Amino acid sequence: MSVKVNDMCYMWSADDDLAKKGEYGGAVTTLMKYMLENGIVDAVLAVEKGADLYDAVPILINDPKDIAKSAGSLHCGTLNIAKVVEKYLDGVNDIKVAVTCKPCDAMTIRELIKKGRIIEDNLIMVGVNCGGTMPPVKTREMIEEVYEMDPDEVVKEEIAKGKLIIETENDEKSFSIDELEEDGLGRRTNCQRCEVNIPQMADMALGNWGVIGPLAGKATFVEVFSDKGADVLDKAISAGVVNIEEANPKGIEIRGKINQSMVNLANKSKEFAYSDIKGDILEVFAEYQDEFSRCMKCYGCREACPICYCPECSLESNGPDWLTKALIPAAPMFHLERMVHMVDSCTNCGQCEEVCPSEIPVAKVWDTVNAKIQEIFDYYRGVEDEGVVSPLTYYQDKGLRD
């Protein structure tokens, strides 16, 4: 077959060992190994287990024999891998890399491509479906106290039919995701608000949603979104390293319903989070002044943010005393300047909020303001084509003056 953009299929590894080590047939692992072995890329960027299954750390692989280190999924892979691509791989300026990416990773990479910080031609994005990631410490506590299971024995978790399902080799338990999250458990708060579950901005997207019948649990659903993705998949199929089967129409329908149910959950979370916040962008920012008054100006949010783009941070350049000196709490202009720089491109990845020692809901604030930008300009960060620039970079007939 000749693979084309928008094609869908079920896929699993032709290598029995990789099929067992990987999740849902080892399709992602096999594709990465194939690209590395055949010189399509110089390296593979993925994540591997750190201290335990709840600790995901980035790994750059250039030896195909090491590819199995990235097999399977981790329960709390909360990092945004776009930061690694842009900062530590110099935007893949002189290296070709295949990267596994969640939707927020792929969206952030797209925004950084627009800003000229990542070279798209040197990157292949293998997207993975994501219903949300979970905070490591709280998740371990939840599994022990709510599910009454050993967190170190967990082999898989997923959201299905409104429930968060946790599995070990010998047991499976599920609880309502709504009820868990009302109690402050379950997914990270930014993930609860995320309406993008299938990374259509990647070159292809893979996941278990929609795999039914005898292949359920043994294969991966694949959808192709770019010519680059189609070419890689076509070559892998022709080489015989993966097996494929046409996607079942019923499976395609089920996948769509699962995705829509996740979107509905996100809309419900957004409604709860900021539906009562009215007014223009500055008025929205003012609603959170009490939270920002706790800021100790540690710069953690800036350091964690994958979108911040100044080579030399403007917040530390020669400027007014209220900005450059260690005033505690930070002057409002500190956060306003960061907002101007990145909020139109904020992908709600939650990195800023995770590192804040004062527990300021930074991601929620930026997501609230970003929602206003979407509402005013009809601009969706991380999703629009490369040629569509941020509305804050030029004047339009409609805008803030309206």
Side-chain angles (χ1 to χ4, degrees), residues 3-78:
V3 179
K4 303 181 293 298
V5 175
N6 298 323
D7 277 355
M8 301 178 185
C9 66
Y10 298 147
M11 185 168 70
W12 64 99
S13 180
D15 183 322
D16 290 339
D17 186 48
L18 283 181
K20 290 177 183 177
K21 288 181 179 178
E23 196 155 359
Y24 305 116
V28 174
T29 309
T30 301
L31 275 179
M32 293 301 202
K33 183 178 181 183
Y34 172 77
M35 285 190 276
L36 199 51
E37 286 180 331
N38 291 272
I40 297 174
V41 295
D42 302 311
V44 165
L45 178 62
V47 294
E48 66 172 340
K49 182 177 74 171
D52 56 27
L53 290 172
Y54 303 84
D55 179 30
V57 297
I59 177 174
L60 187 67
I61 303 169
N62 53 26
D63 187 339
K65 291 183 295 186
D66 294 332
I67 206 72
K69 292 179 179 179
S70 65
S73 64
L74 295 169
H75 313 308
C76 302
T78 62

Side-chain angles (χ1 to χ4, degrees), residues 20-223:
K20 290 177 183 177
K21 288 181 179 178
E23 196 155 359
Y24 305 116
V28 174
T29 309
T30 301
L31 275 179
M32 293 301 202
K33 183 178 181 183
Y34 172 77
M35 285 190 276
L36 199 51
E37 286 180 331
N38 291 272
I40 297 174
V41 295
D42 302 311
V44 165
L45 178 62
V47 294
E48 66 172 340
K49 182 177 74 171
D52 56 27
L53 290 172
Y54 303 84
D55 179 30
V57 297
I59 177 174
L60 187 67
I61 303 169
N62 53 26
D63 187 339
K65 291 183 295 186
D66 294 332
I67 206 72
K69 292 179 179 179
S70 65
S73 64
L74 295 169
H75 313 308
C76 302
T78 62
L79 63 87
N80 188 327
I81 209 158
K83 182 84 169 182
V84 180
V85 177
E86 189 271 337
K87 184 173 182 179
Y88 299 104
L89 296 182
D90 192 28
V92 292
N93 188 56
D94 55 5
I95 182 175
K96 290 187 176 182
V97 174
V99 57
T100 55
C101 46
K102 307 184 301 299
C104 60
D105 299 331
M107 292 166 69
T108 306
I109 287 171
R110 283 287 167 209
E111 287 299 318
L112 290 170
I113 288 171
K114 292 179 190 178
K115 296 179 187 298
R117 306 294 294 177
I118 291 178
I119 308 300
E120 182 176 12
D121 289 345
N122 289 343
L123 195 68
I124 297 175
M125 287 191 280
V126 179
V128 292
N129 297 349
C130 180
T133 56
M134 297 183 288
V137 176
K138 279 189 176 181
T139 299
R140 289 187 66 95
E141 292 174 353
M142 177 187 70
I143 292 172
E144 284 184 323
E145 297 171 10
V146 179
Y147 286 78
E148 296 181 339
M149 302 166 82
D150 184 343
D152 292 320
E153 293 182 0
V154 172
V155 295
K156 185 170 70 173
E157 90 288 326
E158 65 176 328
I159 298 172
K161 298 181 179 179
K163 296 181 180 295
L164 176 59
I165 304 166
I166 303 291
E167 295 182 31
T168 65
E169 291 289 351
N170 304 310
D171 198 7
E172 176 183 308
K173 293 183 181 179
S174 63
F175 287 90
S176 165
I177 188 70
D178 270 353
E179 292 178 5
L180 287 170
E181 292 177 352
E182 284 173 4
D183 292 335
L185 303 172
R187 299 170 299 162
R188 297 187 300 155
T189 53
N190 61 293
C191 294
Q192 293 175 34
R193 296 188 302 268
C194 181
E195 73 278 14
V196 183
N197 310 291
I198 299 174
Q200 297 181 0
M201 63 295 301
D203 295 302
M204 63 183 83
L206 295 87
N208 68 312
W209 298 349
V211 182
I212 61 176
L215 289 177
K218 300 177 182 177
T220 299
F221 192 112
V222 184
E223 184 173 6

Side-chain angles (χ1 to χ4, degrees), residues 253-273:
E253 180 184 350
I254 290 172
R255 178 175 181 256
K257 287 182 177 179
I258 294 172
N259 181 55
Q260 187 58 52
S261 70
M262 299 304 299
V263 171
N264 293 342
L265 275 174
N267 289 334
K268 181 179 178 180
S269 293
K270 286 184 175 184
E271 181 76 14
F272 176 78

Side-chain angles (χ1 to χ4, degrees), residues 300-347:
C301 56
R302 179 200 66 182
E303 292 303 305
C305 179
I307 292 293
C308 274
Y309 57 83
C310 294
E312 181 180 351
C313 181
S314 63
L315 296 173
E316 294 182 306
S317 62
N318 293 326
D321 288 346
W322 49 259
L323 186 64
T324 56
K325 288 186 177 180
L327 298 178
I328 303 298
M333 201 63 182
F334 170 86
H335 297 287
L336 283 168
E337 185 161 349
R338 249 189 48 79
M339 181 182 75
V340 168
H341 278 215
M342 47 64 64
V343 77
D344 60 322
S345 300
C346 174
T347 55

